[in-house]
Amino acid sequence: MTQRITTPAPSTRLLTVISRCLFVIASAALLWFIVTFLYWPNAVALKSVFLPDSGSVWESIQTLAASDRVVAALRNTLVVSLISVITVNIVGTLQVFLLEALDLRGLRFLTIAYALPLVFSSVSAITGYAMVYGSNGILTRALQTVFPALPDTWFTGMPAIILVHTFTMTGYHFLFMRPALRRVDFSMVEAARSLGMGVVPALLRVVMPIMRPMVLASVLMVFISSIGSFAAPNILGGTHFPMAAPLVMALSGLGRQDLAALLGLGLGLVAVILLLWALRAERRSQLFSSNKSHKPFERITLRKPAVRVAAYLVAYALAAINIVPLAATVLLSFSPLEAIRRGELSWTFTFEHYLDVFGTPSVLEPLKNSLVLCLIAIPIALVIGVFASYLIHRRRNKLTDILQISVFLPHFLPGILIAVGFMLAFGSPSALVAGQVLIGSYWILPLAYVVVLIPLTVRLTSAAFAGLDPALDDAARSLGAGPERRFFRVTLPILAPVLMQVAALGFNGTFDEYTLSVMLYNLNNKPLGVTLGALAATQDLDMVGITAAYVVLNTFISLAVVLFADRMAARASRRALGSATGGAR
Amino acid sequence: MISTQKLTVGYGETTVINGLDLHVQAGEFLTLLGPSGCGKSTLLRTLGGFIQPASGTVSIDGRDVTRTDPEHRGIGFVFQSYALFPHLSVADNVAFGLKARQEERKTVTRRVTEMLEVSGLSELGAAFPGQLSGGQQQRVAIARALAPKPSVLLMDEPLSNLDAELRVKMRSEILRIHRELEVTTVYVTHDQEEALALSDRIAVLRHGAVQQLAPPHEIYYRPANAYVGQFMGATNSLTDNTCRLFALAPVAERTPFVRPERIILGGDEPRAHTAAAVVEEVTFLGPSTSYTVGVGDQRLSVQETSRNGTVWHTGSQVSVGFDATDVMWVES
């Protein structure tokens, strides 16, 4: 055989120089983005609090503390958040165990029902809940026929907000706790049972401790979402139940951005304290399995009839609570206006509300705006996220450790604080953005969306990077492939399914985003979430149908994106059937 | 040809390979053999360019490649996990290295067809790695590494993921491909039998140093030291007292080793060195039976072909013996 030595050709050397230049440019762009949009707004917010133009931070604190409404809002926020953490985790964990650990009939239906918060969340879901339980809601009307004394506003305040939180914040459990449970070595459950433990105690005493890091993570996520909760208190809070995030917006609207920033920072501080506690607790609860082999998790058949019936009742009741608001919204979206006005359910269907949506520019425009905003923000977030993950995993050093902390910063800050930071940082010309004033411009919203999308993107792409067999890159190198070829021909195609799912998740989080949107939007970019929030808050019965159609369209688009991404991801990963690296057959 | 001079490799404070000189001849099949943690994979990855040495040089065909990236070394590397690209078909996997070198399309097609034929994978070009069996994946990994005609083929325990039967079959395949393409090969394994079956020469490693570098026959029958002897299966190192019982005259600074299969239990033919023994343990292994016998105060391992007739039982009084040529006098 003719042997040949491969020596780098001059063209290869040129390519290496070009690729190094591109790498430096990309790194500089990433650094600029992080400094400008992750650090600078927070720094300006801190400055406005601690070095205000007039007065002092102590005076600002006294002003806030003197307001009964502010004190009540902070107390309410804390109580709602603590209760939400408990209720969301009970419901979310129950759903995960019902889906993955027990052998129940109708799992496909239950899976769809429990997955609904992924596509029917935020302001859409709150609007849906209002359509069932609100002053004009189907259930409210039905109950009033039996209990005429029931006030229209019975579904407001703390119980309403907690109920909505409980059933719309379980997406994290569905997405992340389910795979974590599937990864638990089932032989541990079998070992517990062989030692005389029953099924349910084995799940509680063996599996749950292993899942503790996931539970802690979800506690953190729910708490941060709850203290920054905006849409639920705004739409369902009523006049007598203030919460912190809407108050921040109100203060900002009154021109007291220093007080808004102080309140936002207070919320951020609580989130950081909880984060530190969660990290400490997670470190303590980190368990490492020493098992040589791993047995996939199996569904357990409940033998005792009473336990079995109870499991079915809980499973289907949870599914019903998730489905009813969406079903009612769909029904209302097809109901004639006369039936809605009379407060009756109609079995005559009409498309008039959908035609109204498409025929009313003030309603249709925000839908189009949100689509365009997503199409801008998601690809930018993906590029930044993938590049950051690449640096974090492939070039570990102190700088990339700082990068890792930086990109997760928005994850732990309430959306309201990010919005206030943006308003303060970009409300006047800034050298970091070439002297432009971004507030009032089209770009403020897509940039804010990118900021909140980055942690999700980095988190999931990092997990994918970590799961990549490093030998794949080594193999490509040994075959003569340079860095670009290795990234674009090996790493990226393998990451593609994850990126598609990240894009879909990002779309769901951004398409009807409310908190940042309502604080930062302007006439050029009014998004769907803001319009939906306004529609949901209206008491006009004539608008119920159009609102319902709007919610259904939003949910349908989100669902279509998720299903499309899922199909594309499945197609991309089908080629890698099973594990292609190692393993005898 | 591949060689190292005074090669030192470490991780942080720990030195794994210290001042190693190694020369692999063109077309040779050299195996790096040793237990886990002896530095054999580190050495192979250093030859491949995936690990930078602290000092010393690596040369391939006379060219110093110590600071050359793996992609410019002209090597082929077969990984323990195969590292096949799951999103590419078998043919695309094999073509990957050729395309990376920007070969003409015609050349790529011809070479891929050639390599698929050599590896017995002609029918599987369109399949994806996940659809293949372990043995087929292994062949694709070798075909992919060899397609760009590398100067050296480096293989890191490529058979360790296969079951015993397939391992033996793939051993022959690797040997056939090596003989057909005559590519210089450095192969890493911890399996003595695999090393003996495949290699032109074997380098037995311990703590990153070569204990013996020799052809398989020599390694097996003339181990350079007690470590090599024991690693290659000579488990009976006779004590002075046992030597006296066998009437074996001691040799200064040498330890006598006798392989278990060279010791005869009972037996009709008289042996040069015999002693009385008691059978303490019998383990039936199918084709062979393993015995532990007590000779004086030492326990010796004996391995015999299993027979249906005479079988020794625990407690049997028996004479054990071996010939003078069965004793390996190894440096202490």
Side-chain angles (χ1 to χ4, degrees):
Chain A
M1 176 184 141
T2 319
Q3 300 283 324
R4 184 179 58 200
I5 307 167
T6 309
T7 46
S11 62
T12 314
R13 287 203 193 102
L14 182 66
L15 279 175
T16 309
V17 171
I18 292 171
S19 84
R20 283 192 183 149
C21 288
L22 286 174
F23 181 78
V24 170
I25 292 168
S27 303
L30 180 65
L31 181 69
W32 167 77
F33 188 90
I34 287 171
V35 169
T36 307
F37 298 107
L38 302 187
Y39 281 107
W40 180 240
N42 293 312
V44 175
L46 279 171
K47 182 184 164 285
S48 80
V49 169
F50 292 104
L51 299 167
D53 293 337
S54 61
S56 67
V57 62
W58 180 239
E59 282 175 38
S60 302
I61 292 171
Q62 280 181 320
T63 308
L64 286 180
S67 161
D68 291 342
R69 196 163 173 79
V70 170
V71 173
L74 287 174
R75 189 181 55 235
N76 291 342
T77 304
L78 198 65
V79 172
V80 165
S81 301
L82 289 173
I83 297 175
S84 295
V85 162
I86 296 166
T87 55
V88 173
N89 274 295
I90 289 174
V91 169
T93 310
L94 256 176
Q95 289 179 348
V96 167
F97 274 83
L98 289 164
L99 282 184
E100 298 297 328
L102 301 182
D103 183 21
L104 300 178
R105 280 169 192 251
L107 278 175
R108 187 177 285 251
F109 167 76
L110 291 176
T111 307
I112 293 169
Y114 297 164
L116 273 184
L118 295 176
V119 292
F120 186 59
S121 61
S122 183
V123 69
S124 299
I126 294 158
T127 311
Y129 275 82
M131 287 190 176
V132 177
Y133 309 102
S135 51
N136 292 321
I138 294 171
L139 188 72
T140 305
R141 293 293 180 91
L143 285 173
Q144 280 173 336
T145 56
V146 185
F147 309 105
L150 185 78
D152 283 352
T153 54
W154 73 282
F155 188 70
T156 52
M158 190 192 292
I161 295 169
I162 289 173
L163 182 91
V164 169
H165 280 184
T166 303
F167 289 94
T168 57
M169 289 187 180
T170 52
Y172 182 86
H173 297 78
F174 190 87
L175 282 179
F176 302 111
M177 202 182 263
R178 279 173 69 215
L181 179 61
R182 284 192 211 130
R183 284 195 297 270
V184 171
D185 185 357
F186 191 70
S187 55
M188 285 190 278
V189 177
E190 290 177 333
R193 294 184 74 184
S194 73
L195 293 165
M197 198 176 263
V199 170
V200 176
L203 291 177
L204 290 175
R205 293 175 63 181
V206 177
V207 178
M208 274 309 284
I210 297 167
M211 303 278 289
R212 203 178 296 156
M214 287 306 294
V215 174
L216 282 170
S218 65
V219 163
L220 188 65
M221 294 305 305
V222 173
F223 193 84
I224 289 170
S225 303
S226 294
I227 58 168
S229 179
F230 199 120
N234 223 16
I235 297 167
L236 301 172
T239 47
H240 303 297
F241 193 77
M243 277 180 67
L247 208 61
V248 173
M249 186 187 165
L251 286 168
S252 179
L254 291 169
R256 292 304 306 267
Q257 285 173 339
D258 55 333
L259 295 184
L262 178 61
L263 204 53
L265 277 177
L267 297 179
L269 190 67
V270 175
V272 169
I273 290 169
L274 190 81
L275 167 70
L276 294 175
W277 166 80
L279 286 175
R280 195 156 165 254
E282 191 179 317
R283 218 173 293 133
R284 282 186 186 171
S285 64
Q286 202 72 267
L287 301 168
F288 297 99
S289 171
S290 59
N291 298 354
K292 297 280 182 210
S293 60
H294 181 275
K295 188 170 189 216
F297 207 87
E298 288 175 10
R299 292 182 204 287
I300 299 164
T301 305
L302 297 170
R303 304 250 176 246
K304 288 183 187 164
V307 179
R308 197 165 170 73
V309 168
Y312 270 107
L313 280 176
V314 172
Y316 281 87
L318 291 176
I321 296 171
N322 270 12
I323 287 172
V324 164
L326 182 60
T329 311
V330 172
L331 204 61
L332 282 170
S333 76
F334 289 107
S335 296
L337 195 56
E338 297 73 40
I340 294 173
R341 282 191 189 128
R342 286 196 304 272
E344 291 170 0
L345 280 178
S346 164
W347 298 107
T348 315
F349 297 116
T350 174
F351 284 99
E352 63 179 296
H353 307 307
Y354 289 92
L355 294 174
D356 282 347
V357 168
F358 288 109
T360 314
S362 63
V363 180
L364 185 62
E365 273 309 309
L367 194 81
K368 284 192 207 163
N369 276 343
S370 280
L371 273 174
V372 176
L373 288 168
C374 284
L375 287 175
I376 295 169
I378 291 169
I380 296 174
L382 280 178
V383 170
I384 293 175
V386 170
F387 186 52
S389 301
Y390 171 80
L391 292 177
I392 289 164
H393 278 275
R394 294 288 156 86
R395 294 168 188 251
R396 288 213 88 145
N397 55 44
K398 281 190 179 151
L399 273 178
T400 55
D401 285 348
I402 295 170
L403 172 67
Q404 191 166 11
I405 294 166
S406 304
V407 290
F408 281 110
L409 206 59
H411 195 52
F412 303 111
L413 297 177
I416 198 81
L417 179 60
I418 295 171
V420 170
F422 263 58
M423 289 172 83
L424 289 166
F426 305 117
S428 54
S430 167
L432 285 166
V433 288
Q436 299 293 308
V437 179
L438 292 182
I439 292 293
S441 79
Y442 183 84
W443 287 97
I444 190 73
L445 261 192
L447 286 166
Y449 288 169
V450 171
V451 166
V452 291
L453 282 172
I454 282 177
L456 172 86
T457 316
V458 176
R459 185 193 164 95
L460 297 182
T461 48
S462 284
F465 263 111
L468 268 184
D469 181 358
L472 290 172
D473 196 63
D474 286 348
R477 288 191 86 180
S478 74
L479 292 164
E484 287 77 25
R485 193 175 191 89
R486 295 203 300 274
F487 183 75
F488 287 107
R489 296 291 168 90
V490 177
T491 308
L492 205 55
I494 296 173
L495 290 183
V498 174
L499 295 182
M500 283 171 203
Q501 280 165 336
V502 172
L505 276 176
F507 184 88
N508 279 336
T510 318
F511 190 50
D512 62 350
E513 201 283 335
Y514 188 70
T515 309
L516 290 170
S517 307
V518 81
M519 296 278 284
L520 300 173
Y521 85 95
N522 54 60
L523 286 177
N524 301 313
N525 57 16
K526 189 177 180 185
L528 182 140
V530 173
T531 311
L532 206 47
L535 284 171
T538 181
Q539 297 296 314
D540 186 354
L541 272 177
D542 289 359
M543 294 305 285
V544 169
I546 205 168
T547 307
Y550 210 49
V551 170
V552 172
L553 276 174
N554 168 27
T555 308
F556 176 77
I557 293 170
S558 296
L559 185 65
V561 169
V562 168
L563 292 176
F564 176 73
D566 202 49
R567 176 164 289 210
M568 295 297 286
R571 189 178 292 177
S573 59
R574 205 173 298 138
R575 290 176 169 181
L577 285 172
S579 167
T581 52
R585 286 190 182 187
Chain B
M1 192 189 96
I2 186 162
S3 64
T4 68
Q5 279 190 321
K6 296 189 177 11
L7 190 74
T8 300
V9 188
Y11 298 107
E13 300 285 297
T14 317
T15 301
V16 180
I17 293 161
N18 196 3
L20 180 80
D21 290 322
L22 184 72
H23 301 280
V24 187
Q25 300 304 319
E28 186 181 16
F29 195 118
L30 182 124
T31 296
L32 303 175
L33 176 69
S36 298
C38 73
K40 55 191 188 299
S41 286
T42 301
L43 175 57
L44 194 80
R45 290 180 66 79
T46 310
L47 298 179
F50 299 112
I51 297 173
Q52 277 297 310
S55 61
T57 58
V58 177
S59 308
I60 295 177
D61 287 344
R63 183 169 60 108
D64 184 349
V65 294
T66 316
R67 303 286 154 200
T68 307
D69 286 333
E71 53 266 42
H72 299 134
R73 285 196 179 198
I75 54 157
F77 205 109
V78 179
F79 294 82
Q80 188 173 6
S81 63
Y82 315 142
L84 298 180
F85 306 129
H87 58 295
L88 299 181
S89 68
V90 167
D92 286 337
N93 261 282
V94 176
F96 189 92
L98 298 162
K99 286 180 181 170
R101 285 164 168 80
Q102 293 169 337
E103 295 285 1
E104 280 179 23
R105 187 175 293 197
K106 251 194 279 178
T107 315
V108 173
T109 314
R110 184 175 44 77
R111 185 70 184 146
V112 168
T113 313
E114 205 175 298
M115 285 317 301
L116 291 179
E117 262 172 37
V118 169
S119 320
L121 295 164
S122 298
E123 307 297 310
L124 294 168
F128 284 87
Q131 297 166 314
L132 305 181
S133 69
Q136 286 166 335
Q137 287 183 26
Q138 221 273 329
R139 278 189 238 183
V140 178
I142 296 174
R144 183 181 69 176
L146 288 171
K149 298 185 179 174
S151 306
V152 179
L153 179 64
L154 307 173
M155 303 174 95
D156 189 3
E157 305 213 34
L159 303 183
S160 61
N161 280 332
L162 304 180
D163 58 53
E165 198 183 333
L166 198 53
R167 217 156 45 215
V168 173
K169 199 175 156 207
M170 285 309 299
R171 227 153 59 186
S172 319
E173 282 289 296
I174 289 173
L175 212 50
R176 180 182 65 77
I177 294 170
H178 171 71
R179 282 180 185 150
E180 209 168 313
L181 304 178
E182 294 174 350
V183 63
T184 310
T185 304
V186 182
Y187 187 98
V188 159
T189 185
H190 62 267
D191 184 327
Q192 297 91 331
E193 196 180 298
E194 205 169 290
L196 293 169
L198 285 169
S199 321
D200 294 322
R201 283 193 302 161
I202 297 170
V204 181
L205 265 74
R206 185 193 190 193
H207 301 321
V210 174
Q211 300 293 307
Q212 188 173 8
L213 175 59
H217 200 268
E218 194 177 324
I219 292 267
Y220 192 78
Y221 286 109
R222 287 195 295 282
N225 54 37
Y227 174 78
V228 176
Q230 275 182 326
F231 190 73
M232 297 308 292
T235 48
N236 296 314
S237 130
L238 307 183
T239 62
D240 290 348
N241 190 36
T242 310
C243 284
R244 272 195 295 278
L245 292 171
F246 277 107
L248 198 62
V251 176
E253 292 177 10
R254 298 266 164 172
T255 307
F257 277 88
V258 183
R259 292 189 184 282
E261 70 272 19
R262 303 310 302 168
I263 300 177
I264 306 296
L265 287 185
D268 304 327
E269 291 176 33
R271 303 282 163 182
H273 305 282
T274 54
V278 180
V279 175
E280 293 182 358
E281 213 173 288
V282 182
T283 311
F284 178 66
L285 299 169
S288 64
T289 303
S290 171
Y291 299 92
T292 303
V293 297
V295 177
D297 55 359
Q298 190 176 6
R299 302 174 93 210
L300 300 178
S301 294
V302 180
Q303 194 152 21
E304 289 207 325
T305 307
S306 297
R307 279 165 297 177
N308 228 348
T310 321
V311 178
W312 304 103
H313 302 285
T314 307
S316 300
Q317 302 280 334
V318 64
S319 76
V320 291
F322 47 82
D323 288 327
T325 50
D326 295 327
V327 183
M328 297 181 290
W329 293 96
V330 174
E331 259 179 49
S332 299

